[in-house]
DNA sequence: CCAATAATTATACGGTCGTATAATAATTAA
DNA sequence: TTAATTATTATACGACCGTATAATTATTGG
């Protein structure tokens, strides 16, 4: 018996997600969103009351799937070092492939958005624990040198996370070339599977025992 | 014969630099800056005309001090590998010490703040070039393995940049502990000079020639 | 002391933004 | 057809921000 809804709430959310990709959630402009969605400005108050509630819903829909998508299921068989390598490569590939999303998350984290914060706080540790466990096991087995985790972990995490972020940021800023080299080429060299694996091997080789210095396992 | 200046321009710049550290340039509020400086709002227009001109000056003064430090520490004499190590350590210390500001700048970059973007685009390459030059020289001299720069550079840059960023972000989010370990302790282990040097040595050792595997130079 | 000059203050203009609300439109059960 | 209910529109309020300006203050050479 009421007037039927035209799902303006969903239209607004989707328009916002589009705009978010280029500008970030922090500088989302409600009038702009409404215009893009072809929906009246007043619908924000009708559906969501406040901007915070609205952005919460936008972020919810954006990040929900993203975080569930990635699970570090390390294969239980093989050497522990090989397992660690596999986990790091998987993490690296995921980071590189979803680099734009990572940058967006970073952006939202810096804006102290509560929704994103909750996601990050619950999801990052989960993956971290897997890596930590494997590193410890390797250290006990002697395949990695004994070093404090506070040194090892940031080092390992940085090997692929930072290249992915740097690349994503350059793309974000639409930088055309670095040192006269086209970004496209650099992107390939940074984001290729081989490059990701190489960086992991590079990092692991640095952590191996000093006595038996050798290349860490190569090839896929 | 005129009324003497109370250097309100400088007071404003310094107040802004303080505020910038916590929130970044992009969300700098002129009324807030004026209040912190104890200077009248109108002085902005008197001294700088526009906000953009003001933030440009703020950034300039902030950066100039940094660059002086960097060039000083990375141009000492000795082996090329030692120079590279010095430059990386200087950069690392710099990144770790000013991690809060780095995060703020990152925030501004993501917000596509025009002033900050101009700055980053013109100044970051300068630091990169120094490192690139040293890496190449090391590779020619044989103290580093020959590898494509596109692999080496992100790897080297990541060793200290990411730990610094991770730490700063955790502080930013007021995370109290990681894996039951107080953040203060972790901060010390990540940000100490020794830790910074260790990470550089770790990274460099991974890049050394495979035949003559040895620890990269230690000590300060 | 006075005129000239530069620095500082108080205040407001115009714009943008999130929010709010009264009026109106569309639908269906009765 | 009408009453009831929900959705949508047009519009405005109030706060904030960068910018602008007229008035006021402090200083010094003549």
């Amino acid at each position: 018996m009421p007037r039927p809804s035209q799902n303006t709430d969903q239209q607004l959310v989707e328009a916002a997600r589009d705009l978010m990709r280029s500008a970030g959630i922090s500088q989302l402009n409600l009038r702009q969103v409404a215009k893009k969605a072809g929906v009246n400005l007043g619908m924000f108050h009708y559906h969501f009351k406040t901007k915070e509630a609205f952005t919460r819903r936008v972020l919810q829909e954006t990040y929900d799937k993203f975080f569930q998508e990635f699970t570090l299921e390390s294969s239980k068989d093989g050497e522990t070092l090989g397992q660690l390598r596999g986990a790091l490569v998987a993490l690296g590939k995921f980071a590189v492939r979803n680099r734009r999303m990572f940058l967006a998350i970073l952006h939202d984290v810096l804006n102290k958005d509560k929704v994103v914060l909750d996601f990050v706080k619950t999801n990052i540790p989960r993956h971290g624990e897997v890596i930590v466990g494997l590193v410890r096991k390797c250290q006990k087995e002697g395949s990695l040198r004994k070093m404090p985790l506070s040194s090892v972990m940031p080092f390992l995490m940085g090997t692929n996370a930072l290249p992915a972020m740097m690349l994503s940021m350059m793309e974000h800023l639409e930088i055309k070339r670095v040192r006269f080299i086209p970004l496209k080429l650099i992107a390939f060299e940074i984001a290729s599977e081989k490059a990701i694996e190489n960086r992991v091997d590079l990092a692991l080789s640095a952590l191996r025992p000093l006595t038996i210095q050798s290349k860490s396992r190569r090839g896929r």
Side-chain angles (χ1 to χ4, degrees), chain A:
Chain A
M1 90 186 66
R3 177 175 179 176
S5 170
Q6 292 172 41
N7 297 321
T8 49
D9 56 338
Q10 202 55 35
Q11 289 175 252
L12 288 171
V13 169
E14 273 155 30
R17 292 216 298 168
D18 257 25
L19 291 171
M20 210 187 78
R21 264 181 261 284
S22 55
I25 196 96
S26 58
Q27 40 198 46
L28 211 55
N29 180 306
L30 294 190
R31 280 173 174 80
Q32 194 184 345
V33 174
K35 190 175 180 183
K36 184 178 178 77
V39 169
N40 191 280
L41 176 66
M43 297 315 282
F44 281 111
H45 183 254
Y46 182 72
H47 285 301
F48 308 101
K49 295 285 180 249
T50 69
K51 184 184 186 182
E52 187 185 327
F54 174 66
T55 54
R56 187 170 304 263
R57 166 99 170 263
V58 172
L59 290 173
Q60 189 85 30
E61 296 201 4
T62 306
Y63 293 134
D64 237 346
K65 290 176 187 170
F66 175 72
F67 277 107
Q68 285 168 2
E69 193 181 317
F70 184 71
T71 46
L72 255 189
E73 73 243 4
S74 53
S75 55
K76 295 289 177 186
D77 46 285
E79 318 161 37
T80 316
L81 187 61
Q83 285 177 22
L84 175 59
R85 182 181 183 277
L88 286 173
V89 168
L91 200 61
K93 285 182 184 172
F94 185 72
V96 168
R97 217 170 268 141
N98 299 284
R99 55 185 182 266
R100 209 172 63 169
M101 181 64 73
F102 267 95
L103 205 65
I105 291 175
L106 180 63
H107 196 172
D108 295 329
V109 166
L110 287 175
N111 281 318
K112 293 199 183 188
D113 184 282
K114 280 180 196 163
V115 183
V116 186
L117 249 148
D118 284 346
F119 276 116
V120 171
K121 277 188 184 174
T122 58
N123 285 286
I124 297 281
R126 254 187 327 138
H127 301 138
E129 282 307 317
V130 176
I131 307 288
V132 166
L134 289 171
V135 167
R136 280 193 151 158
K137 205 169 167 199
C138 285
Q139 288 184 336
K140 269 182 196 160
E141 292 177 5
S143 53
L144 285 186
R145 210 177 337 149
K146 285 206 170 68
M147 297 175 62
L149 282 176
S150 54
S151 298
V152 175
M153 288 303 294
F155 180 74
L156 280 181
M157 295 310 229
T159 49
N160 271 312
L162 192 102
M165 263 191 43
M166 274 174 56
L167 178 57
S168 186
M169 196 155 332
M170 288 188 288
E171 289 166 341
H172 174 78
L173 300 180
E174 292 164 24
I175 289 172
K176 295 288 179 293
R177 61 193 82 245
V178 180
R179 310 185 69 251
F180 309 109
I181 302 165
L183 188 60
K184 296 247 178 190
L185 193 60
I186 291 178
F188 175 77
E189 288 184 351
I190 286 181
S192 73
E193 299 210 349
K194 190 150 232 148
I196 294 168
E197 289 172 7
N198 279 345
R199 279 193 297 270
V200 170
D201 289 328
L202 219 50
L204 286 179
S205 78
L207 298 175
R208 306 218 64 188
L210 294 170
T211 42
I212 345 162
Q213 273 288 14
S214 73
K215 279 166 76 175
S216 102
R217 178 164 100 70
R218 282 282 165 139
R220 29 177 315 118

